[in-house]
PDB file of all heavy atoms in Angstrom:
ATOM      1  N   GLU V   1       4.115   7.728  -3.664  1.00  0.00           N
ATOM      2  CA  GLU V   1       4.233   9.158  -3.947  1.00  0.00           C
ATOM      3  C   GLU V   1       4.150   9.423  -5.449  1.00  0.00           C
ATOM      4  O   GLU V   1       3.556  10.407  -5.895  1.00  0.00           O
ATOM      5  CB  GLU V   1       5.561   9.692  -3.403  1.00  0.00           C
ATOM      6  CG  GLU V   1       5.690   9.668  -1.882  1.00  0.00           C
ATOM      7  CD  GLU V   1       4.964  10.815  -1.214  1.00  0.00           C
ATOM      8  OE1 GLU V   1       4.398  11.664  -1.937  1.00  0.00           O
ATOM      9  OE2 GLU V   1       4.945  10.860   0.035  1.00  0.00           O
ATOM     10  N   THR V   2       4.733   8.534  -6.226  1.00  0.00           N
ATOM     11  CA  THR V   2       4.788   8.718  -7.672  1.00  0.00           C
ATOM     12  C   THR V   2       3.406   8.655  -8.319  1.00  0.00           C
ATOM     13  O   THR V   2       3.081   9.465  -9.196  1.00  0.00           O
ATOM     14  CB  THR V   2       5.696   7.646  -8.301  1.00  0.00           C
ATOM     15  OG1 THR V   2       7.019   7.790  -7.777  1.00  0.00           O
ATOM     16  CG2 THR V   2       5.723   7.761  -9.817  1.00  0.00           C
ATOM     17  N   VAL V   3       2.579   7.692  -7.904  1.00  0.00           N
ATOM     18  CA  VAL V   3       1.295   7.498  -8.575  1.00  0.00           C
ATOM     19  C   VAL V   3       0.181   8.344  -7.963  1.00  0.00           C
ATOM     20  O   VAL V   3      -0.915   8.410  -8.543  1.00  0.00           O
ATOM     21  CB  VAL V   3       0.879   6.007  -8.571  1.00  0.00           C
ATOM     22  CG1 VAL V   3       1.963   5.148  -9.204  1.00  0.00           C
ATOM     23  CG2 VAL V   3       0.557   5.517  -7.166  1.00  0.00           C
ATOM     24  N   ALA V   4       0.427   8.993  -6.841  1.00  0.00           N
ATOM     25  CA  ALA V   4      -0.622   9.777  -6.180  1.00  0.00           C
ATOM     26  C   ALA V   4      -1.249  10.828  -7.105  1.00  0.00           C
ATOM     27  O   ALA V   4      -2.487  10.916  -7.196  1.00  0.00           O
ATOM     28  CB  ALA V   4      -0.089  10.424  -4.910  1.00  0.00           C
ATOM     29  N   PRO V   5      -0.454  11.649  -7.809  1.00  0.00           N
ATOM     30  CA  PRO V   5      -1.077  12.631  -8.716  1.00  0.00           C
ATOM     31  C   PRO V   5      -1.876  11.971  -9.841  1.00  0.00           C
ATOM     32  O   PRO V   5      -2.907  12.521 -10.264  1.00  0.00           O
ATOM     33  CB  PRO V   5       0.132  13.397  -9.284  1.00  0.00           C
ATOM     34  CG  PRO V   5       1.231  13.158  -8.311  1.00  0.00           C
ATOM     35  CD  PRO V   5       1.012  11.787  -7.767  1.00  0.00           C
ATOM     36  N   MET V   6      -1.428  10.818 -10.305  1.00  0.00           N
ATOM     37  CA  MET V   6      -2.157  10.114 -11.357  1.00  0.00           C
ATOM     38  C   MET V   6      -3.516   9.652 -10.846  1.00  0.00           C
ATOM     39  O   MET V   6      -4.525   9.724 -11.558  1.00  0.00           O
ATOM     40  CB  MET V   6      -1.343   8.907 -11.837  1.00  0.00           C
ATOM     41  CG  MET V   6      -0.008   9.256 -12.445  1.00  0.00           C
ATOM     42  SD  MET V   6       0.999   7.783 -12.825  1.00  0.00           S
ATOM     43  CE  MET V   6       0.001   7.005 -14.105  1.00  0.00           C
ATOM     44  N   ILE V   7      -3.561   9.186  -9.601  1.00  0.00           N
ATOM     45  CA  ILE V   7      -4.824   8.733  -9.014  1.00  0.00           C
ATOM     46  C   ILE V   7      -5.764   9.912  -8.802  1.00  0.00           C
ATOM     47  O   ILE V   7      -6.982   9.798  -9.021  1.00  0.00           O
ATOM     48  CB  ILE V   7      -4.551   7.971  -7.712  1.00  0.00           C
ATOM     49  CG1 ILE V   7      -3.922   6.608  -8.037  1.00  0.00           C
ATOM     50  CG2 ILE V   7      -5.821   7.792  -6.895  1.00  0.00           C
ATOM     51  CD1 ILE V   7      -3.542   5.782  -6.830  1.00  0.00           C
ATOM     52  N   GLU V   8      -5.237  11.055  -8.407  1.00  0.00           N
ATOM     53  CA  GLU V   8      -6.073  12.248  -8.274  1.00  0.00           C
ATOM     54  C   GLU V   8      -6.674  12.625  -9.625  1.00  0.00           C
ATOM     55  O   GLU V   8      -7.858  12.979  -9.715  1.00  0.00           O
ATOM     56  CB  GLU V   8      -5.251  13.407  -7.718  1.00  0.00           C
ATOM     57  CG  GLU V   8      -4.932  13.280  -6.231  1.00  0.00           C
ATOM     58  CD  GLU V   8      -4.226  14.500  -5.676  1.00  0.00           C
ATOM     59  OE1 GLU V   8      -3.490  15.168  -6.445  1.00  0.00           O
ATOM     60  OE2 GLU V   8      -4.406  14.784  -4.476  1.00  0.00           O
ATOM     61  N   ALA V   9      -5.874  12.555 -10.682  1.00  0.00           N
ATOM     62  CA  ALA V   9      -6.371  12.889 -12.019  1.00  0.00           C
ATOM     63  C   ALA V   9      -7.436  11.893 -12.473  1.00  0.00           C
ATOM     64  O   ALA V   9      -8.424  12.276 -13.118  1.00  0.00           O
ATOM     65  CB  ALA V   9      -5.208  12.912 -13.015  1.00  0.00           C
ATOM     66  N   LEU V  10      -7.264  10.624 -12.148  1.00  0.00           N
ATOM     67  CA  LEU V  10      -8.228   9.599 -12.552  1.00  0.00           C
ATOM     68  C   LEU V  10      -9.565   9.753 -11.833  1.00  0.00           C
ATOM     69  O   LEU V  10     -10.631   9.549 -12.428  1.00  0.00           O
ATOM     70  CB  LEU V  10      -7.666   8.205 -12.259  1.00  0.00           C
ATOM     71  CG  LEU V  10      -6.607   7.653 -13.202  1.00  0.00           C
ATOM     72  CD1 LEU V  10      -5.987   6.395 -12.623  1.00  0.00           C
ATOM     73  CD2 LEU V  10      -7.220   7.346 -14.572  1.00  0.00           C
ATOM     74  N   THR V  11      -9.516  10.122 -10.555  1.00  0.00           N
ATOM     75  CA  THR V  11     -10.724  10.086  -9.724  1.00  0.00           C
ATOM     76  C   THR V  11     -11.341  11.443  -9.442  1.00  0.00           C
ATOM     77  O   THR V  11     -12.524  11.531  -9.099  1.00  0.00           O
ATOM     78  CB  THR V  11     -10.399   9.430  -8.364  1.00  0.00           C
ATOM     79  OG1 THR V  11      -9.454  10.239  -7.657  1.00  0.00           O
ATOM     80  CG2 THR V  11      -9.850   8.023  -8.556  1.00  0.00           C
ATOM     81  N   GLY V  12     -10.554  12.505  -9.526  1.00  0.00           N
ATOM     82  CA  GLY V  12     -11.040  13.813  -9.131  1.00  0.00           C
ATOM     83  C   GLY V  12     -11.023  14.019  -7.631  1.00  0.00           C
ATOM     84  O   GLY V  12     -11.481  15.061  -7.134  1.00  0.00           O
ATOM     85  N   GLY V  13     -10.503  13.053  -6.892  1.00  0.00           N
ATOM     86  CA  GLY V  13     -10.417  13.147  -5.444  1.00  0.00           C
ATOM     87  C   GLY V  13      -9.105  13.755  -4.987  1.00  0.00           C
ATOM     88  O   GLY V  13      -8.262  14.161  -5.808  1.00  0.00           O
ATOM     89  N   THR V  14      -8.940  13.813  -3.673  1.00  0.00           N
ATOM     90  CA  THR V  14      -7.725  14.353  -3.074  1.00  0.00           C
ATOM     91  C   THR V  14      -6.998  13.249  -2.330  1.00  0.00           C
ATOM     92  O   THR V  14      -7.572  12.590  -1.460  1.00  0.00           O
ATOM     93  CB  THR V  14      -8.068  15.480  -2.074  1.00  0.00           C
ATOM     94  OG1 THR V  14      -8.757  16.522  -2.767  1.00  0.00           O
ATOM     95  CG2 THR V  14      -6.801  16.028  -1.430  1.00  0.00           C
ATOM     96  N   VAL V  15      -5.731  13.054  -2.676  1.00  0.00           N
ATOM     97  CA  VAL V  15      -4.919  12.040  -2.005  1.00  0.00           C
ATOM     98  C   VAL V  15      -4.356  12.624  -0.721  1.00  0.00           C
ATOM     99  O   VAL V  15      -3.813  13.727  -0.719  1.00  0.00           O
ATOM    100  CB  VAL V  15      -3.786  11.539  -2.914  1.00  0.00           C
ATOM    101  CG1 VAL V  15      -2.773  10.719  -2.115  1.00  0.00           C
ATOM    102  CG2 VAL V  15      -4.339  10.708  -4.060  1.00  0.00           C
ATOM    103  N   ARG V  16      -4.496  11.868   0.358  1.00  0.00           N
ATOM    104  CA  ARG V  16      -3.907  12.253   1.629  1.00  0.00           C
ATOM    105  C   ARG V  16      -2.697  11.349   1.919  1.00  0.00           C
ATOM    106  O   ARG V  16      -1.615  11.591   1.429  1.00  0.00           O
ATOM    107  CB  ARG V  16      -4.952  12.160   2.752  1.00  0.00           C
ATOM    108  CG  ARG V  16      -6.050  13.205   2.623  1.00  0.00           C
ATOM    109  CD  ARG V  16      -5.539  14.581   2.979  1.00  0.00           C
ATOM    110  NE  ARG V  16      -6.640  15.520   3.169  1.00  0.00           N
ATOM    111  CZ  ARG V  16      -6.759  16.674   2.555  1.00  0.00           C
ATOM    112  NH1 ARG V  16      -5.829  17.047   1.679  1.00  0.00           N
ATOM    113  NH2 ARG V  16      -7.781  17.474   2.793  1.00  0.00           N
ATOM    114  N   LEU V  17      -2.892  10.293   2.685  1.00  0.00           N
ATOM    115  CA  LEU V  17      -1.759   9.437   3.070  1.00  0.00           C
ATOM    116  C   LEU V  17      -1.258   8.607   1.893  1.00  0.00           C
ATOM    117  O   LEU V  17      -2.053   8.114   1.072  1.00  0.00           O
ATOM    118  CB  LEU V  17      -2.153   8.502   4.219  1.00  0.00           C
ATOM    119  CG  LEU V  17      -1.932   9.045   5.643  1.00  0.00           C
ATOM    120  CD1 LEU V  17      -2.814  10.257   5.901  1.00  0.00           C
ATOM    121  CD2 LEU V  17      -2.194   7.961   6.667  1.00  0.00           C
ATOM    122  N   ARG V  18       0.074   8.464   1.852  1.00  0.00           N
ATOM    123  CA  ARG V  18       0.734   7.637   0.838  1.00  0.00           C
ATOM    124  C   ARG V  18       1.875   6.918   1.556  1.00  0.00           C
ATOM    125  O   ARG V  18       2.961   7.464   1.689  1.00  0.00           O
ATOM    126  CB  ARG V  18       1.285   8.508  -0.297  1.00  0.00           C
ATOM    127  CG  ARG V  18       0.241   9.415  -0.899  1.00  0.00           C
ATOM    128  CD  ARG V  18       0.819  10.478  -1.816  1.00  0.00           C
ATOM    129  NE  ARG V  18       1.662  11.444  -1.114  1.00  0.00           N
ATOM    130  CZ  ARG V  18       1.217  12.473  -0.417  1.00  0.00           C
ATOM    131  NH1 ARG V  18      -0.092  12.701  -0.291  1.00  0.00           N
ATOM    132  NH2 ARG V  18       2.042  13.306   0.172  1.00  0.00           N
ATOM    133  N   ILE V  19       1.619   5.681   2.010  1.00  0.00           N
ATOM    134  CA  ILE V  19       2.598   5.017   2.876  1.00  0.00           C
ATOM    135  C   ILE V  19       2.381   3.512   2.879  1.00  0.00           C
ATOM    136  O   ILE V  19       1.274   3.035   2.613  1.00  0.00           O
ATOM    137  CB  ILE V  19       2.507   5.579   4.318  1.00  0.00           C
ATOM    138  CG1 ILE V  19       3.686   5.109   5.170  1.00  0.00           C
ATOM    139  CG2 ILE V  19       1.165   5.243   4.954  1.00  0.00           C
ATOM    140  CD1 ILE V  19       3.823   5.825   6.494  1.00  0.00           C
ATOM    141  N   LEU V  20       3.443   2.789   3.197  1.00  0.00           N
ATOM    142  CA  LEU V  20       3.346   1.328   3.264  1.00  0.00           C
ATOM    143  C   LEU V  20       2.477   0.888   4.421  1.00  0.00           C
ATOM    144  O   LEU V  20       2.236   1.640   5.373  1.00  0.00           O
ATOM    145  CB  LEU V  20       4.730   0.696   3.410  1.00  0.00           C
ATOM    146  CG  LEU V  20       5.265   0.456   4.837  1.00  0.00           C
ATOM    147  CD1 LEU V  20       6.340  -0.595   4.823  1.00  0.00           C
ATOM    148  CD2 LEU V  20       5.740   1.741   5.472  1.00  0.00           C
ATOM    149  N   SER V  21       2.028  -0.370   4.369  1.00  0.00           N
ATOM    150  CA  SER V  21       1.382  -1.015   5.508  1.00  0.00           C
ATOM    151  C   SER V  21       2.338  -2.034   6.099  1.00  0.00           C
ATOM    152  O   SER V  21       2.949  -2.823   5.371  1.00  0.00           O
ATOM    153  CB  SER V  21       0.096  -1.727   5.079  1.00  0.00           C
ATOM    154  OG  SER V  21      -0.399  -2.523   6.147  1.00  0.00           O
ATOM    155  N   ASN V  22       2.443  -2.047   7.432  1.00  0.00           N
ATOM    156  CA  ASN V  22       3.257  -3.055   8.106  1.00  0.00           C
ATOM    157  C   ASN V  22       2.499  -4.359   8.342  1.00  0.00           C
ATOM    158  O   ASN V  22       3.062  -5.313   8.883  1.00  0.00           O
ATOM    159  CB  ASN V  22       3.804  -2.527   9.427  1.00  0.00           C
ATOM    160  CG  ASN V  22       4.930  -1.537   9.224  1.00  0.00           C
ATOM    161  OD1 ASN V  22       4.890  -0.417   9.717  1.00  0.00           O
ATOM    162  ND2 ASN V  22       5.952  -1.935   8.482  1.00  0.00           N
ATOM    163  N   LEU V  23       1.219  -4.396   7.945  1.00  0.00           N
ATOM    164  CA  LEU V  23       0.504  -5.660   7.938  1.00  0.00           C
ATOM    165  C   LEU V  23       0.807  -6.341   6.602  1.00  0.00           C
ATOM    166  O   LEU V  23       0.043  -6.262   5.645  1.00  0.00           O
ATOM    167  CB  LEU V  23      -1.005  -5.455   8.119  1.00  0.00           C
ATOM    168  CG  LEU V  23      -1.878  -6.715   8.061  1.00  0.00           C
ATOM    169  CD1 LEU V  23      -1.377  -7.795   8.995  1.00  0.00           C
ATOM    170  CD2 LEU V  23      -3.333  -6.372   8.357  1.00  0.00           C
ATOM    171  N   ALA V  24       1.956  -6.996   6.562  1.00  0.00           N
ATOM    172  CA  ALA V  24       2.451  -7.608   5.317  1.00  0.00           C
ATOM    173  C   ALA V  24       1.837  -8.988   5.142  1.00  0.00           C
ATOM    174  O   ALA V  24       2.521 -10.010   5.122  1.00  0.00           O
ATOM    175  CB  ALA V  24       3.976  -7.682   5.351  1.00  0.00           C
ATOM    176  N   ASP V  25       0.504  -9.004   4.960  1.00  0.00           N
ATOM    177  CA  ASP V  25      -0.212 -10.284   4.943  1.00  0.00           C
ATOM    178  C   ASP V  25      -0.056 -11.055   3.639  1.00  0.00           C
ATOM    179  O   ASP V  25      -0.574 -12.171   3.516  1.00  0.00           O
ATOM    180  CB  ASP V  25      -1.694 -10.072   5.267  1.00  0.00           C
ATOM    181  CG  ASP V  25      -2.388  -9.155   4.273  1.00  0.00           C
ATOM    182  OD1 ASP V  25      -1.702  -8.508   3.448  1.00  0.00           O
ATOM    183  OD2 ASP V  25      -3.636  -9.079   4.323  1.00  0.00           O
ATOM    184  N   LEU V  26       0.645 -10.473   2.676  1.00  0.00           N
ATOM    185  CA  LEU V  26       0.989 -11.219   1.460  1.00  0.00           C
ATOM    186  C   LEU V  26       2.443 -11.681   1.478  1.00  0.00           C
ATOM    187  O   LEU V  26       2.895 -12.331   0.532  1.00  0.00           O
ATOM    188  CB  LEU V  26       0.744 -10.346   0.222  1.00  0.00           C
ATOM    189  CG  LEU V  26      -0.706  -9.924  -0.014  1.00  0.00           C
ATOM    190  CD1 LEU V  26      -0.808  -9.013  -1.230  1.00  0.00           C
ATOM    191  CD2 LEU V  26      -1.615 -11.138  -0.180  1.00  0.00           C
ATOM    192  N   ARG V  27       3.157 -11.357   2.546  1.00  0.00           N
ATOM    193  CA  ARG V  27       4.579 -11.721   2.678  1.00  0.00           C
ATOM    194  C   ARG V  27       4.704 -12.633   3.895  1.00  0.00           C
ATOM    195  O   ARG V  27       5.169 -12.245   4.953  1.00  0.00           O
ATOM    196  CB  ARG V  27       5.422 -10.461   2.832  1.00  0.00           C
ATOM    197  CG  ARG V  27       6.915 -10.695   2.688  1.00  0.00           C
ATOM    198  CD  ARG V  27       7.668  -9.375   2.754  1.00  0.00           C
ATOM    199  NE  ARG V  27       9.077  -9.560   2.487  1.00  0.00           N
ATOM    200  CZ  ARG V  27       9.962  -8.576   2.417  1.00  0.00           C
ATOM    201  NH1 ARG V  27       9.598  -7.331   2.614  1.00  0.00           N
ATOM    202  NH2 ARG V  27      11.237  -8.835   2.170  1.00  0.00           N
ATOM    203  N   ILE V  28       4.279 -13.861   3.728  1.00  0.00           N
ATOM    204  CA  ILE V  28       4.096 -14.792   4.828  1.00  0.00           C
ATOM    205  C   ILE V  28       5.243 -15.798   4.895  1.00  0.00           C
ATOM    206  O   ILE V  28       5.702 -16.309   3.875  1.00  0.00           O
ATOM    207  CB  ILE V  28       2.755 -15.543   4.679  1.00  0.00           C
ATOM    208  CG1 ILE V  28       1.586 -14.558   4.691  1.00  0.00           C
ATOM    209  CG2 ILE V  28       2.582 -16.595   5.765  1.00  0.00           C
ATOM    210  CD1 ILE V  28       1.431 -13.791   5.981  1.00  0.00           C
ATOM    211  N   ALA V  29       5.690 -16.059   6.117  1.00  0.00           N
ATOM    212  CA  ALA V  29       6.673 -17.130   6.364  1.00  0.00           C
ATOM    213  C   ALA V  29       6.013 -18.189   7.239  1.00  0.00           C
ATOM    214  O   ALA V  29       5.245 -17.864   8.152  1.00  0.00           O
ATOM    215  CB  ALA V  29       7.921 -16.578   7.035  1.00  0.00           C
ATOM    216  N   ARG V  30       6.326 -19.452   6.980  1.00  0.00           N
ATOM    217  CA  ARG V  30       5.694 -20.560   7.687  1.00  0.00           C
ATOM    218  C   ARG V  30       6.754 -21.558   8.152  1.00  0.00           C
ATOM    219  O   ARG V  30       7.780 -21.750   7.490  1.00  0.00           O
ATOM    220  CB  ARG V  30       4.709 -21.299   6.781  1.00  0.00           C
ATOM    221  CG  ARG V  30       3.691 -20.417   6.071  1.00  0.00           C
ATOM    222  CD  ARG V  30       2.761 -21.260   5.212  1.00  0.00           C
ATOM    223  NE  ARG V  30       1.781 -20.443   4.496  1.00  0.00           N
ATOM    224  CZ  ARG V  30       1.933 -20.041   3.243  1.00  0.00           C
ATOM    225  NH1 ARG V  30       3.032 -20.378   2.564  1.00  0.00           N
ATOM    226  NH2 ARG V  30       1.002 -19.313   2.660  1.00  0.00           N
ATOM    227  N   ALA V  31       6.475 -22.195   9.278  1.00  0.00           N
ATOM    228  CA  ALA V  31       7.350 -23.271   9.762  1.00  0.00           C
ATOM    229  C   ALA V  31       6.481 -24.360  10.389  1.00  0.00           C
ATOM    230  O   ALA V  31       5.420 -24.080  10.953  1.00  0.00           O
ATOM    231  CB  ALA V  31       8.362 -22.751  10.778  1.00  0.00           C
ATOM    232  N   ARG V  32       6.979 -25.594  10.293  1.00  0.00           N
ATOM    233  CA  ARG V  32       6.250 -26.748  10.831  1.00  0.00           C
ATOM    234  C   ARG V  32       7.236 -27.686  11.505  1.00  0.00           C
ATOM    235  O   ARG V  32       8.370 -27.875  11.024  1.00  0.00           O
ATOM    236  CB  ARG V  32       5.523 -27.487   9.711  1.00  0.00           C
ATOM    237  CG  ARG V  32       4.806 -28.763  10.140  1.00  0.00           C
ATOM    238  CD  ARG V  32       4.231 -29.504   8.932  1.00  0.00           C
ATOM    239  NE  ARG V  32       3.575 -30.736   9.325  1.00  0.00           N
ATOM    240  CZ  ARG V  32       4.207 -31.893   9.555  1.00  0.00           C
ATOM    241  NH1 ARG V  32       5.524 -31.964   9.419  1.00  0.00           N
ATOM    242  NH2 ARG V  32       3.538 -32.964   9.924  1.00  0.00           N
ATOM    243  N   VAL V  33       6.804 -28.287  12.631  1.00  0.00           N
ATOM    244  CA  VAL V  33       7.589 -29.328  13.297  1.00  0.00           C
ATOM    245  C   VAL V  33       6.669 -30.494  13.636  1.00  0.00           C
ATOM    246  O   VAL V  33       5.460 -30.323  13.804  1.00  0.00           O
ATOM    247  CB  VAL V  33       8.256 -28.819  14.602  1.00  0.00           C
ATOM    248  CG1 VAL V  33       9.310 -27.782  14.306  1.00  0.00           C
ATOM    249  CG2 VAL V  33       7.219 -28.267  15.572  1.00  0.00           C
TER     250      VAL V  33
END
């Protein structure tokens, strides 16, 4: 939410959705047996 207006100013576009992704593919846990 904080950076959305800054991105609009940088690009001239319109920001719509501003939300996390639940596909946390950089937050991985692993186990081995």
